[in-house]
Amino acid sequence: FREDLKWDHRNLELVGTSQYDMRLDAIQQARQLARLLIVRAKIQLSEKDFDGLAETVLTGHRLAALIGSSEMVIPRLVGIAVIAQMRGIVETMIQTPDCPNLYWALATVPQPIIELRPAVEFELEGIRRGFPALWQAQSAGWTEPQAREQWTNAVVELARLSGFTHLRQNLEILTAL
C-alpha cells in the first residue's frame, strides 16, 4: 500500500566483480507471490467477486512494477511475465458474464509499465564496472609488471566467478595471452 517501493540493491554503486555476486532470491520470492495472486484471482473469478478480483489484479500489477524497478534485465523480465499473467486474468474476467465495464480502468494503465532499455544499457556497462583495470590500462601508465599484475587479478576474478577451481595451475598460460 506504499506509494514508493524500491529494491534498494544499489547496483549502481557496485564496483568490480561484486556486482556479479548478487543473488536474486527476492525476485524468486516475488514470483512465488505472483503465483499466489493468480490462484487468488482464479478463486475470485469463479466466485464472480469482481471487486476483490480488481484489487488482486491491481496488487499483481503493483508487484510487477516493483519487480521491474530493478536496474537489471532479469527482474524486469520477471515483472513483465507477472504483468502478462495478470492481463490473462483480466481477459478472462472481461469474458465472464456480469463483469463490469473495465474500459476506463484499462485505458489509464501506462504503456509500457516496465521498460527494458535502461536495464539493457546498465548491463552492457557491466564489464566496464566489473573489470575497471582493463579500461584503465592505457591511461594509467602502468609498467609491464604492473599491467601483468592487473591482468592476472582480472583473470583470477573472472575464473572465481565462473567456478574454475584449477586456475592456479594454468594461470601462466592465461596471463601469457
Side-chain angles (χ1 to χ4, degrees):
F1 295 107
R2 296 182 52 166
E3 287 184 27
D4 185 24
L5 298 171
K6 297 205 182 278
W7 286 112
D8 284 334
H9 285 149
R10 303 200 182 275
N11 294 335
L12 295 173
E13 297 172 7
L14 296 176
V15 179
T17 56
S18 62
Q19 68 181 340
Y20 300 112
D21 289 334
M22 194 179 96
R23 302 204 29 147
L24 299 176
D25 294 336
I27 303 302
Q28 184 61 27
Q29 292 171 358
R31 287 180 66 208
Q32 292 171 351
L33 182 57
R35 287 185 192 115
L36 289 174
L37 286 173
I38 295 296
V39 169
R40 179 180 180 187
K42 287 182 179 182
I43 292 170
Q44 290 169 328
L45 190 59
S46 70
E47 296 172 351
K48 293 190 176 185
D49 176 14
F50 296 115
D51 291 336
L53 183 56
E55 187 66 32
T56 300
V57 169
L58 177 63
T59 302
H61 275 82
R62 299 237 336 131
L63 175 65
L66 171 63
I67 295 168
S69 68
S70 173
E71 294 94 359
M72 298 182 307
V73 171
I74 291 175
R76 287 185 185 223
L77 290 174
V78 171
I80 290 169
V82 171
I83 289 171
Q85 290 174 321
M86 289 299 145
R87 288 190 177 169
I89 293 294
V90 170
E91 287 176 16
T92 306
M93 180 180 177
I94 290 170
Q95 296 169 3
T96 304
D98 300 325
C99 176
N101 186 342
L102 300 176
Y103 176 81
W104 290 110
L106 296 175
T108 60
V109 175
Q111 296 296 326
I113 294 175
I114 299 171
E115 291 191 41
L116 279 178
R117 183 183 189 109
V120 170
E121 290 172 352
F122 173 78
E123 291 203 15
L124 286 174
E125 286 291 317
I127 297 294
R128 185 179 301 270
R129 283 189 320 276
F131 301 98
L134 298 177
W135 272 239
Q136 299 166 355
Q138 290 185 345
S139 62
W142 293 328
T143 64
E144 181 68 30
Q146 289 173 325
R148 185 170 294 281
E149 179 185 348
Q150 291 294 329
W151 173 251
T152 301
N153 291 342
V155 169
V156 168
E157 269 303 297
L158 187 59
R160 182 187 66 79
L161 287 172
S162 62
F164 289 133
T165 56
H166 58 283
L167 176 71
R168 297 278 180 210
Q169 301 163 4
N170 299 323
L171 188 56
E172 293 83 25
I173 297 170
L174 292 172
T175 55
L177 296 176

